[in-house]
Every structure is written in C-alpha cells, then in structure tokens.
Amino acid sequence: MSNQVERFQDPGLPEHVHRNADVDPKAAKRAEQQVAILFLLSAVGTVLTIVSYIIVPKDKFFYLPIMGSTNVQQLLLGLGLTASTLFIGLGAIQWAKKLMPDQEVIAERHEFRSEEVDRAELVETFKERGAAAGLGRRSLIKRTLGLALGLVGLSPLLLLRDTGPQPKKYFDTTDWSAGIRLLLDPAGTPIKASDLEVGAVAQVLPELPAGTERTLENTGKDAVLLIRLRPEDFNLDAERLSWTHEGIIAFSKICTHMGCAVALYEQQTHHLLCPCHQSTFDVTRAAKVIFGPAARPLPQLAITVDSNGYLIAKQPFTVPVGPSFWERNSSNG
Ligand code: FES
C-alpha cells in the first residue's frame, strides 16, 4: 500500500448566481431608489439633530410612560443621531448587496518578500533621488525637515484640549448641604424612611430654596440614589454606618468613571451597575468598585431625618461627585 497522500482536488467555485438587479433593469432601478431613500432618511436624521440642538431648550422635559420625566432635547438628539448613522449604514449595505459589482475574483498567493533585484533597485533609487535633491549637501534642510516632521505629530495632542470644557471646580460642590430635604424625583415630594421598603431604590434631588430654578446641569450632579437594605447587610466602618438611616444609604448617581447615570441595582447581590462600561459598585461596602473601569467608589451622602421624620442630608458630599478628571485633587477622593 502506498504512503503517498492523494492530492486534494480543488472543488472550484460554485456556479455564479446573478442577482435580480444584474439582469433586470427595473429591479436595478428599484434597488437604486431604496438606497436613495435610506440615505435621505439619514440626512433627515442629521437635520433633526442639528435643529433640535439649536432650537429646543436644554431644560425642557416631558413625561414618557416607560422613561418617566424625559429631556426633550436629549431625546431628539438621540433619535436624530441614531437615524443618521443607522440609515447611512443600511443604505451602504443595500447598495453593496444589490448594486455594486458582483464579480468573483481570485487573488493568487505569492511571496510577500520582493525579489532581491527589486529590493536592490529600490535602495539605489532612494540614494539617487536623495543625491539629486541635494539632501546630503543641504544639511540645514535635512535638519529642519526632521524637526518639522517630528513636531507635526504633536499638534493633534493640542486638539485633545478641545474635546470638552474642563470641569475645574464644577463637581466640587452640589446643592446638598446640612438639613436639605431629599425630594423624590420626578414627584418632587419629601420622603420618609417608611416610604422605602427593604430592596427598594429611589432617585432623589435636593430641595432648593423657594424661587430657585432647577437647572439641567445641577440636576445632573445633584442626583442621588437611595437604597434600602437590612441594616445587618452593611459592611461599613462606624463613620459610614452613621451616614445611613434605618438601612437607607445614599450615593451620588454619577458614575466615577465617565459620568454616566448608575441606574441598575441588583437586589440579590446588592450591586449597583453602570450601564455604560459595566463598572459595578458594592452597596454594602460604601459603593466600593468590584468590577469595571471606575477608579473610585460612588461618593456617599450622609443622611438622617428631621423633626418631622423626613429624610435630610447631614452634610454636603465630602468628596467631589462625578468622573475622575485631570484637575481633580486626588487627596479629596
Ligand atoms: S461611565 Fe460608568 S463605567 Fe464608564
């Protein structure tokens, strides 16, 4: 019996099936119109984005059954951006599948390394051109060109500064201070400990002095999550435990990674999850980070009750809320 392995037969390509648009001009026309409609929808999405950014006030809210109080501008921006990117992608897919050239091409594999003679020729050409350009003689040009090429790569770094305003001291203060009542959001009503069952979560905002308008910016950095556990579930030091009230603990809702709203609470594990990059905070251990890119726990707000039994802040946040940023003083969290 021979040890020689029988050569594998090249099965070749299956028979080419032509698409409708390849053989029927009417189908091609229809496909073209479909692609055009998708691109037009994308354009409408972009116009919607720009118009909503310019004319819809930033602090306009309305009530949506599933989402609750919703910022109109953010909703329209989201819809507009989604439409503009989604439809441009769908249009490109449709175009490629139905109209772009549908030929099968066989690319033969070959050595990547060029032939010795070609390589030598390339080196020769470089030398010749370099000599012709007088680079060897013109050392001033050679050096300044090196400097220019070396520095040109630095300019994009400067542009990084334009990626957004620096927060500076913006996150250092919020509207929380001693004695400020916690108001349920969006109802705007004060809350008692008995209003929260064990396992419940509520979002609250500080009660502002009469006549003070709540701005979108402040609503963002003031937002606090209240969570009620059984007191024996906590694993806190004495000071942090004294910041809780009858099993209710309060944390800033802004993720310490990049500032998304931390909104998912797992009742069984007592974990708070940020939906953006899955940072996970352990509520029983003062929102210690147990997974994900966040580098700091969520700041805890010390709470207690007033003489009428309503929940109030004991003091302002002791560390800045929000994401870690360059100007943050690392000694204060
Ligand atoms: S913003 Fe929360 S994990 Fe990134």
Side-chain angles (χ1 to χ4, degrees):
M1 205 174 140
S2 158
N3 281 340
Q4 203 167 356
V5 180
E6 199 182 330
R7 278 179 71 95
F8 179 73
Q9 293 299 311
D10 180 357
L13 291 171
E15 198 186 336
H16 186 76
V17 180
H18 288 288
R19 305 164 302 183
N20 272 352
D22 294 334
V23 290
D24 176 1
K26 281 189 185 157
K29 193 77 198 154
R30 272 199 308 277
E32 187 181 349
Q33 286 166 349
Q34 287 165 0
V35 174
I37 289 171
L38 289 166
F39 285 159
L40 274 179
L41 287 173
S42 163
V44 170
T46 307
V47 172
L48 174 69
T49 308
I50 295 169
V51 170
S52 2
Y53 186 78
I54 295 172
I55 61 175
V56 179
K58 280 185 176 169
D59 51 1
K60 200 162 183 56
F61 287 77
F62 79 127
Y63 186 79
L64 268 184
I66 301 176
M67 297 168 64
S69 174
T70 306
N71 183 283
V72 181
Q73 192 195 57
Q74 296 293 323
L75 183 67
L76 291 176
L77 288 178
L79 289 175
L81 282 173
T82 305
S84 60
T85 47
L86 177 70
F87 287 119
I88 220 167
L90 291 179
I93 291 173
Q94 186 77 341
W95 185 11
K97 285 180 80 169
K98 297 208 167 165
L99 292 171
M100 281 191 185
D102 183 31
Q103 296 150 357
E104 277 138 12
V105 176
I106 299 173
E108 300 290 348
R109 291 190 188 180
H110 55 82
E111 254 322 297
F112 275 139
R113 194 174 202 280
S114 307
E115 301 280 333
E116 277 311 322
V117 49
D118 293 337
R119 293 162 64 88
E121 202 174 307
L122 180 71
V123 173
E124 258 331 289
T125 310
F126 258 111
K127 282 185 184 162
E128 262 174 40
R129 298 283 191 271
L135 271 185
R137 276 178 288 124
R138 303 191 196 286
S139 62
L140 181 61
I141 291 188
K142 199 159 73 177
R143 289 204 197 102
T144 48
L145 175 66
L147 178 73
L149 289 178
L151 287 181
V152 80
L154 292 179
S155 23
L157 290 179
L158 285 183
L159 298 181
L160 279 179
R161 286 180 63 88
D162 280 349
T163 51
Q166 295 180 336
K168 300 197 184 295
K169 298 203 171 299
Y170 173 72
F171 285 114
D172 285 4
T173 55
T174 65
D175 288 312
W176 293 106
S177 59
I180 295 279
R181 284 204 293 193
L182 282 58
L183 301 186
L184 272 177
D185 183 38
T189 50
I191 179 171
K192 291 186 170 175
S194 54
D195 294 335
L196 279 184
E197 292 176 358
V198 171
V201 183
Q203 177 172 313
V204 292
L205 291 171
E207 184 174 42
L208 299 181
T212 312
E213 205 175 321
R214 208 180 282 292
T215 62
L216 184 61
E217 284 79 9
N218 281 16
T219 304
K221 65 177 183 172
D222 286 346
V224 159
L225 277 181
L226 283 188
I227 304 161
R228 184 158 196 175
L229 276 59
R230 287 172 307 184
E232 60 270 27
D233 288 333
F234 285 127
N235 186 1
L236 301 171
D237 62 32
E239 185 190 18
R240 289 306 187 95
L241 195 58
S242 72
W243 291 6
T244 66
H245 179 78
E246 293 182 5
I248 301 176
I249 191 162
F251 296 110
S252 163
K253 194 177 172 179
I254 320 176
C255 182
T256 50
H257 176 225
M258 290 179 73
C260 286
V262 178
L264 308 172
Y265 176 58
E266 287 180 350
Q267 211 181 83
Q268 301 297 319
T269 56
H270 307 306
H271 291 168
L272 264 175
L273 264 84
C274 176
C276 288
H277 315 101
Q278 284 73 53
S279 284
T280 308
F281 305 88
D282 184 352
V283 171
T284 62
R285 289 185 288 164
K288 184 177 161 60
V289 182
I290 54 169
F291 180 78
R296 302 179 306 117
L298 297 171
Q300 184 183 346
L301 180 70
I303 54 170
T304 181
V305 286
D306 64 14
S307 53
N308 296 316
Y310 288 113
L311 289 168
I312 56 170
K314 245 182 184 177
Q315 59 186 29
F317 279 109
T318 55
V319 293
V321 298
S324 302
F325 45 93
W326 292 348
E327 308 98 321
R328 168 168 240 135
N329 178 355
S330 53
S331 67
N332 66 0

